Coordinates of all heavy atoms in Angstrom, one line a residue:
K168 N 4.1 -3.4 6.9 CA 4.4 -4.8 6.4 C 3.3 -5.7 6.9 O 2.8 -6.6 6.1 CB 5.7 -5.3 6.9 CG 6.1 -6.7 6.5 CD 7.6 -7.0 6.7 CE 8.4 -6.3 5.7 NZ 9.8 -6.7 5.8
S169 N 2.8 -5.6 8.1 CA 1.6 -6.4 8.6 C 0.4 -6.1 7.7 O -0.4 -7.1 7.4 CB 1.3 -6.0 10.0 OG 2.4 -6.4 10.9
A170 N 0.2 -4.9 7.3 CA -1.0 -4.5 6.5 C -0.8 -5.2 5.1 O -1.8 -5.7 4.6 CB -1.1 -3.0 6.3
C171 N 0.4 -5.2 4.5 CA 0.6 -5.9 3.2 C 0.3 -7.4 3.4 O -0.3 -8.0 2.5 CB 2.0 -5.6 2.8 SG 2.3 -4.0 2.2
L172 N 0.7 -8.0 4.5 CA 0.5 -9.4 4.7 C -1.0 -9.7 4.8 O -1.5 -10.6 4.3 CB 1.2 -9.9 5.9 CG 2.8 -10.0 5.8 CD1 3.3 -10.3 7.2 CD2 3.2 -11.0 4.8
A173 N -1.7 -8.8 5.5 CA -3.1 -8.9 5.7 C -3.9 -8.8 4.4 O -4.8 -9.6 4.1 CB -3.7 -7.8 6.6
M174 N -3.4 -8.0 3.5 CA -4.0 -7.9 2.1 C -3.7 -9.2 1.4 O -4.6 -9.7 0.7 CB -3.4 -6.7 1.4 CG -3.8 -5.3 1.9 SD -2.9 -4.0 1.1 CE -3.5 -4.1 -0.6
R175 N -2.5 -9.7 1.4 CA -2.3 -11.0 0.7 C -3.1 -12.2 1.3 O -3.5 -13.0 0.6 CB -0.8 -11.3 0.8 CG 0.1 -10.3 0.0 CD -0.4 -10.3 -1.5 NE 0.5 -9.5 -2.3 CZ 0.3 -9.2 -3.6 NH1 -0.8 -9.7 -4.2 NH2 1.1 -8.4 -4.3
L176 N -3.2 -12.2 2.6 CA -4.0 -13.2 3.2 C -5.5 -13.1 2.8 O -6.1 -14.1 2.6 CB -3.9 -13.1 4.8 CG -2.5 -13.6 5.3 CD1 -2.4 -13.1 6.8 CD2 -2.4 -15.1 5.2
S177 N -6.0 -11.9 2.7 CA -7.3 -11.7 2.2 C -7.5 -12.1 0.8 O -8.5 -12.6 0.4 CB -7.8 -10.2 2.4 OG -7.1 -9.4 1.5
E178 N -6.4 -11.9 0.0 CA -6.5 -12.3 -1.4 C -6.5 -13.8 -1.5 O -7.3 -14.4 -2.3 CB -5.2 -11.8 -2.1 CG -5.1 -12.2 -3.6 CD -3.8 -11.7 -4.2 OE1 -3.1 -10.9 -3.6 OE2 -3.6 -12.1 -5.4
I179 N -5.8 -14.5 -0.7 CA -5.8 -16.0 -0.7 C -7.2 -16.4 -0.3 O -7.8 -17.3 -0.9 CB -4.7 -16.5 0.3 CG1 -3.3 -16.2 -0.2 CG2 -4.9 -18.0 0.5 CD1 -2.2 -16.5 0.8
E180 N -7.7 -15.9 0.8 CA -9.1 -16.3 1.3 C -10.1 -16.0 0.2 O -11.0 -16.9 -0.1 CB -9.4 -15.5 2.5 CG -10.7 -15.8 3.1 CD -11.0 -15.0 4.4 OE1 -10.1 -14.3 4.9 OE2 -12.2 -15.1 4.9
N181 N -10.0 -14.9 -0.4 CA -11.0 -14.5 -1.4 C -10.9 -15.4 -2.7 O -11.9 -15.8 -3.2 CB -10.8 -13.0 -1.9 CG -12.0 -12.4 -2.5 OD1 -13.0 -12.2 -1.8 ND2 -12.0 -12.2 -3.8
T182 N -9.7 -15.7 -3.1 CA -9.5 -16.5 -4.3 C -9.9 -18.0 -4.1 O -10.6 -18.6 -4.9 CB -8.0 -16.5 -4.7 OG1 -7.6 -15.1 -5.0 CG2 -7.8 -17.3 -6.0
L183 N -9.6 -18.5 -2.9 CA -10.0 -19.9 -2.6 C -11.5 -20.0 -2.5 O -12.1 -21.0 -2.9 CB -9.3 -20.3 -1.3 CG -7.8 -20.5 -1.3 CD1 -7.3 -21.0 0.1 CD2 -7.4 -21.6 -2.3
G184 N -12.1 -19.0 -1.9 CA -13.6 -19.0 -1.8 C -14.3 -18.9 -3.1 O -15.3 -19.6 -3.3
A185 N -13.7 -18.2 -4.1 CA -14.3 -18.0 -5.4 C -14.1 -19.3 -6.2 O -15.0 -19.7 -7.0 CB -13.7 -16.8 -6.1
K186 N -12.9 -19.9 -6.2 CA -12.6 -21.0 -7.0 C -13.0 -22.3 -6.4 O -13.1 -23.3 -7.1 CB -11.0 -21.0 -7.3 CG -10.5 -19.8 -8.0 CD -11.1 -19.7 -9.4 CE -10.6 -18.5 -10.1 NZ -11.2 -18.3 -11.5
E187 N -13.2 -22.3 -5.1 CA -13.5 -23.6 -4.4 C -12.6 -24.7 -4.7 O -13.0 -25.8 -4.9 CB -15.0 -24.0 -4.7 CG -16.0 -23.0 -4.3 CD -17.4 -23.4 -4.6 OE1 -17.6 -24.4 -5.3 OE2 -18.4 -22.8 -4.2
R188 N -11.3 -24.4 -4.7 CA -10.3 -25.4 -4.9 C -9.0 -24.9 -4.3 O -8.8 -23.8 -4.0 CB -10.1 -25.7 -6.3 CG -9.6 -24.5 -7.2 CD -9.6 -24.8 -8.7 NE -9.1 -23.7 -9.4 CZ -9.2 -23.6 -10.7 NH1 -9.7 -24.6 -11.4 NH2 -8.7 -22.6 -11.4
S189 N -8.1 -25.9 -4.1 CA -6.8 -25.5 -3.5 C -5.8 -25.0 -4.5 O -6.2 -24.9 -5.7 CB -6.2 -26.8 -2.8 OG -5.0 -26.4 -2.1
G190 N -4.7 -24.6 -4.1 CA -3.7 -24.0 -5.0 C -2.3 -24.0 -4.5 O -2.0 -24.7 -3.5
L191 N -1.5 -23.2 -5.1 CA -0.1 -23.1 -4.6 C 0.3 -21.6 -4.4 O -0.1 -20.8 -5.2 CB 0.9 -23.7 -5.7 CG 2.4 -23.7 -5.4 CD1 3.0 -24.9 -6.0 CD2 3.0 -22.4 -6.0
I192 N 1.0 -21.3 -3.3 CA 1.4 -19.9 -3.1 C 3.0 -19.9 -2.9 O 3.5 -20.9 -2.3 CB 0.7 -19.3 -1.9 CG1 1.0 -20.1 -0.6 CG2 -0.7 -19.1 -2.1 CD1 0.5 -19.4 0.6
L193 N 3.6 -18.9 -3.3 CA 5.0 -18.6 -3.1 C 5.2 -17.5 -2.2 O 4.7 -16.4 -2.4 CB 5.7 -18.3 -4.5 CG 7.2 -17.9 -4.4 CD1 8.0 -19.0 -3.8 CD2 7.7 -17.5 -5.8
I194 N 5.9 -17.7 -1.1 CA 6.1 -16.7 -0.1 C 7.6 -16.3 -0.1 O 8.4 -17.2 0.1 CB 5.7 -17.1 1.3 CG1 4.2 -17.5 1.3 CG2 6.0 -16.0 2.4 CD1 3.7 -18.1 2.6
D195 N 7.9 -15.1 -0.3 CA 9.3 -14.7 -0.3 C 9.8 -14.3 1.1 O 9.3 -14.7 2.1 CB 9.6 -13.6 -1.3 CG 8.8 -12.3 -1.0 OD1 8.3 -12.2 0.2 OD2 8.7 -11.4 -1.8

Side-chain angles (χ1 to χ4, degrees):
K168 182 163 288 189
S169 294
C171 288
L172 290 175
M174 290 173 65
R175 290 304 185 186
L176 287 166
S177 70
E178 180 181 352
I179 292 170
E180 182 181 353
N181 202 69
T182 302
L183 290 180
K186 299 297 183 182
E187 297 183 351
R188 62 188 182 190
S189 186
L191 180 146
I192 59 171
L193 172 63
I194 301 173
D195 62 12

